Amino acid sequence: MQTRTLSMLIKASLFTALPMLTLPTEAAQKTISELVDAVNGTPDELSRDAGKKVKLRNHANGFCTSGVFKPNPQATDAFAIPFFTQANIDIIARFSLGGINPLSSDKTTGRFMSLKLNGDNESLHFVTSNAEVFFASNLDDFFTFQTKIKQGNEGKQWLIDNKPDTKAFFDYVKKLPSTISYADNRYFGVNSFIFTSKNGESVAGRWIFEPVNGVRAVSANELAQKPDHFLQQELTERIASTPATWDLFVQLAEEQDKVNDPTIVWPTSRKRLLIGQVIINGQHDDSKATLECDKGIFNPLQLPKGISPSADPILNARSAAYIESFIRRN
């Protein structure tokens, strides 16, 4: 890791109270700075400086709201995770679209949900999307994807022709249902975590958020009638009367499953355990923490006792990249 990047990570950890991270060996092939440049489309010093001035960030089109998490009391029958023994845990949520354009159209199919569950003594963060599969299994392929996709149709075709994992991702996204609400989507944590069972054993699992009212798809014609920007207003008006609610599950891996590869979707036959319910109701939208939500990051490695990261290189690079991006725009 470059000296400059390491120095910034140390500074960031001091003012955000986030744990320092040990990146996998593979990260040496691409520095965190290079990965952020690929996402932001800032390959040289001139574009990087311009990006800092406009505070470039991924998921630029997004907004924050709030709610509560109600753990399933039976979750602690399976897992030794004291965090889930609390009755109610406050949530700060950020819903967003992908990409660095804050004015991107809401009519795309991609939806993202990030959550901070702030408990009495610990916190748990989630970074999820409505796609169950990721486009890269390693940092080199992540860098290549972000670089090529900014070349338009030519770059996308190169990825389809040369990167099978990316082609599978594009094929998956084509089949995603169009929705007119963030509340109408399933959300997935494509990366795996290691959970401590009640008897002290370790088991790998992935997060899945199922909307209580199901996925509601709309036709292309119905979506076309919407303005370019409607998702924030729709969710804000919805939760003013009826909360948006998801059941949170952990999908458990079996021995043959590849735990450290987010491009692989595990079979639906894998056991799922209900962890609790996410209720987005806007109850703390006037709080400083919610209003200043964008002044921090959602750190997927902010984990309570009993949950640890897998060896997935994509997962283990996320926090450092988020901190690097955060520093650039502040």
Side-chain angles (χ1 to χ4, degrees):
M1 185 182 294
Q2 295 176 338
T3 302
R4 173 177 173 272
T5 301
L6 180 59
S7 174
M8 287 191 294
L9 289 177
I10 293 172
K11 292 178 181 178
S13 70
L14 292 177
F15 67 75
T16 61
L18 297 176
M20 286 301 295
L21 307 170
T22 302
L23 296 181
T25 303
E26 187 176 5
Q29 297 176 25
K30 294 296 179 186
T31 67
I32 292 300
S33 183
E34 288 174 323
L35 295 175
V36 174
D37 280 336
V39 172
N40 288 350
T42 54
D44 50 47
E45 186 174 353
L46 184 63
S47 60
R48 195 173 299 118
D49 287 342
K52 289 179 181 178
K53 291 178 182 178
V54 297
K55 300 184 182 299
L56 275 182
R57 65 173 299 169
N58 197 10
H59 305 289
N61 182 348
F63 65 96
C64 299
T65 183
S66 59
V68 63
F69 179 71
K70 295 183 178 293
N72 174 16
Q74 296 179 342
T76 52
D77 293 341
F79 294 129
I81 304 174
F83 186 78
F84 294 134
T85 63
Q86 301 172 73
N88 297 291
I89 303 172
D90 286 342
I91 290 177
I92 296 174
R94 189 173 193 271
F95 293 91
S96 65
L97 307 180
I100 61 175
N101 181 6
L103 299 178
S104 59
S105 174
D106 291 0
K107 297 180 183 181
T108 57
T109 56
R111 305 281 186 262
F112 298 83
M113 178 175 73
S114 297
L115 304 174
K116 292 181 181 179
L117 275 57
N118 298 314
D120 295 335
N121 301 303
E122 297 179 296
S123 296
L124 173 59
H125 294 189
F126 300 89
V127 177
T128 72
S129 80
N130 64 335
E132 193 173 7
V133 62
F134 202 58
F135 52 79
S137 62
N138 59 74
L139 299 181
D140 277 347
D141 283 352
F142 178 91
F143 178 88
T144 299
F145 175 91
Q146 295 293 347
T147 302
K148 289 292 184 180
I149 204 67
K150 291 173 178 59
Q151 297 173 4
N153 291 334
E154 182 179 349
K156 182 177 180 179
Q157 188 60 52
W158 185 95
L159 290 167
I160 292 172
D161 294 339
N162 293 278
K163 295 293 182 180
D165 288 342
T166 301
K167 181 181 183 303
F169 171 77
F170 287 142
D171 290 342
Y172 179 96
V173 169
K174 284 181 183 178
K175 298 176 183 178
L176 277 176
S178 296
T179 61
I180 55 174
S181 176
Y182 281 114
D184 293 338
N185 296 269
R186 303 172 75 202
Y187 292 96
F188 304 91
V190 297
N191 306 116
S192 302
F193 294 85
I194 308 302
F195 298 83
T196 302
S197 69
K198 197 71 172 179
N199 60 9
E201 295 180 352
S202 295
V203 58
R206 290 175 176 170
W207 303 115
I208 298 177
F209 295 80
E210 296 279 5
V212 170
N213 293 325
V215 175
R216 180 177 180 269
V218 297
S219 67
N221 287 337
E222 188 175 354
L223 186 64
Q225 294 173 17
K226 293 290 183 181
D228 269 347
H229 305 289
F230 63 90
L231 286 171
Q232 180 173 357
Q233 181 178 354
E234 191 283 334
L235 189 66
T236 300
E237 292 178 351
R238 173 190 293 245
I239 65 177
S241 58
T242 304
T245 308
W246 291 263
D247 286 331
L248 170 61
F249 294 89
V250 170
Q251 182 187 34
L252 301 179
E254 294 188 2
E255 186 175 356
Q256 65 269 38
D257 293 325
K258 292 188 177 181
V259 170
N260 301 320
D261 188 344
T263 68
I264 296 176
V265 177
W266 298 344
T268 56
S269 59
R270 297 297 179 260
K271 183 178 181 179
R272 303 200 310 180
L273 296 179
L274 178 63
I275 301 301
Q277 195 167 78
V278 169
I279 301 169
I280 301 301
N281 53 20
Q283 65 181 25
H284 299 303
D285 280 8
D286 292 334
S287 71
K288 183 177 181 181
T290 305
L291 294 172
E292 298 184 355
C293 167
D294 282 336
K295 293 185 178 181
I297 69 170
F298 291 80
N299 174 17
L301 298 187
Q302 185 71 52
L303 303 166
K305 183 180 178 181
I307 309 176
S308 59
S310 67
D312 180 348
I314 300 295
L315 171 64
N316 284 281
R318 283 183 183 270
S319 294
Y322 296 168
I323 293 172
E324 167 80 7
S325 177
F326 176 86
I327 290 172
R328 290 187 185 194
R329 65 179 185 266
N330 285 276

Coordinates of all heavy atoms in Angstrom, one line a residue, residues 41 77-78 142 177 195 198 207 216 280 287 315 325 329:
G41 N -13.5 7.4 -12.0 CA -13.1 7.8 -13.4 C -12.1 9.0 -13.3 O -12.2 9.9 -14.2
D77 N -30.7 -18.4 19.7 CA -30.7 -19.9 19.9 C -29.7 -20.5 19.0 O -29.2 -21.6 19.3 CB -32.1 -20.5 19.6 CG -33.2 -20.0 20.6 OD1 -32.8 -19.5 21.7 OD2 -34.4 -20.1 20.3
A78 N -29.4 -19.9 17.8 CA -28.5 -20.4 16.8 C -27.1 -19.8 16.9 O -26.1 -20.5 16.7 CB -29.1 -20.3 15.4
F142 N -12.2 -6.2 -10.5 CA -13.0 -5.0 -10.1 C -12.4 -3.7 -10.8 O -13.2 -2.9 -11.3 CB -12.9 -4.8 -8.6 CG -13.6 -3.6 -8.1 CD1 -15.0 -3.7 -7.7 CD2 -13.0 -2.4 -8.0 CE1 -15.7 -2.6 -7.2 CE2 -13.7 -1.3 -7.5 CZ -15.0 -1.4 -7.1
P177 N -36.4 -7.0 -12.0 CA -37.6 -6.4 -12.2 C -37.5 -4.9 -12.1 O -36.8 -4.4 -11.2 CB -38.6 -7.0 -11.2 CG -37.6 -7.4 -10.1 CD -36.4 -7.8 -10.8
F195 N -20.1 -16.5 11.1 CA -20.9 -16.3 12.3 C -20.5 -17.4 13.3 O -20.3 -18.6 12.9 CB -22.4 -16.5 11.9 CG -22.9 -15.4 10.9 CD1 -22.7 -15.6 9.6 CD2 -23.5 -14.3 11.4 CE1 -23.1 -14.6 8.7 CE2 -24.0 -13.3 10.5 CZ -23.8 -13.5 9.1
K198 N -24.0 -21.1 18.5 CA -24.2 -21.2 19.9 C -23.2 -22.2 20.6 O -22.8 -22.0 21.7 CB -25.6 -21.7 20.2 CG -26.1 -21.5 21.6 CD -26.4 -20.0 21.9 CE -27.0 -19.8 23.3 NZ -27.2 -18.4 23.6
W207 N -26.1 -12.1 4.0 CA -27.3 -11.4 4.4 C -28.3 -11.4 3.2 O -27.9 -11.1 2.1 CB -27.0 -10.0 4.8 CG -26.0 -9.8 5.9 CD1 -24.8 -9.2 5.8 CD2 -26.2 -10.1 7.3 NE1 -24.2 -9.2 7.0 CE2 -25.0 -9.7 7.9 CE3 -27.2 -10.7 8.0 CZ2 -24.8 -9.9 9.3 CZ3 -27.0 -10.9 9.4 CH2 -25.9 -10.5 10.0
R216 N -42.6 -5.9 -5.9 CA -43.6 -5.4 -6.7 C -43.0 -4.9 -8.0 O -42.4 -3.8 -8.0 CB -44.5 -4.4 -6.1 CG -45.6 -3.8 -7.0 CD -46.5 -2.8 -6.3 NE -47.5 -2.3 -7.2 CZ -47.4 -1.2 -7.9 NH1 -46.3 -0.5 -7.9 NH2 -48.4 -0.8 -8.7
I280 N -38.3 0.7 8.3 CA -37.9 2.1 7.9 C -39.2 2.9 8.0 O -40.1 2.8 7.3 CB -37.3 2.1 6.5 CG1 -36.1 1.2 6.4 CG2 -37.0 3.6 6.2 CD1 -35.0 1.6 7.4
S287 N -33.0 13.9 13.4 CA -31.8 13.8 14.3 C -30.6 14.2 13.5 O -30.5 14.1 12.3 CB -31.7 12.4 14.8 OG -31.2 11.5 13.8
L315 N -14.7 -7.9 -0.2 CA -15.2 -7.4 1.1 C -14.1 -6.7 1.9 O -14.3 -5.6 2.5 CB -15.7 -8.6 2.0 CG -16.1 -8.3 3.4 CD1 -17.2 -7.3 3.5 CD2 -16.4 -9.6 4.2
S325 N -12.3 7.3 -0.3 CA -13.3 8.2 -1.0 C -13.8 9.3 -0.1 O -14.0 10.4 -0.5 CB -14.4 7.3 -1.5 OG -15.4 8.1 -2.1
R329 N -13.5 13.6 -0.5 CA -14.6 14.6 -0.7 C -14.8 15.5 0.5 O -15.8 16.1 0.6 CB -15.8 13.8 -1.1 CG -16.4 12.9 -0.1 CD -17.7 12.2 -0.6 NE -18.3 11.4 0.4 CZ -18.1 10.1 0.6 NH1 -17.3 9.5 -0.2 NH2 -18.7 9.4 1.5

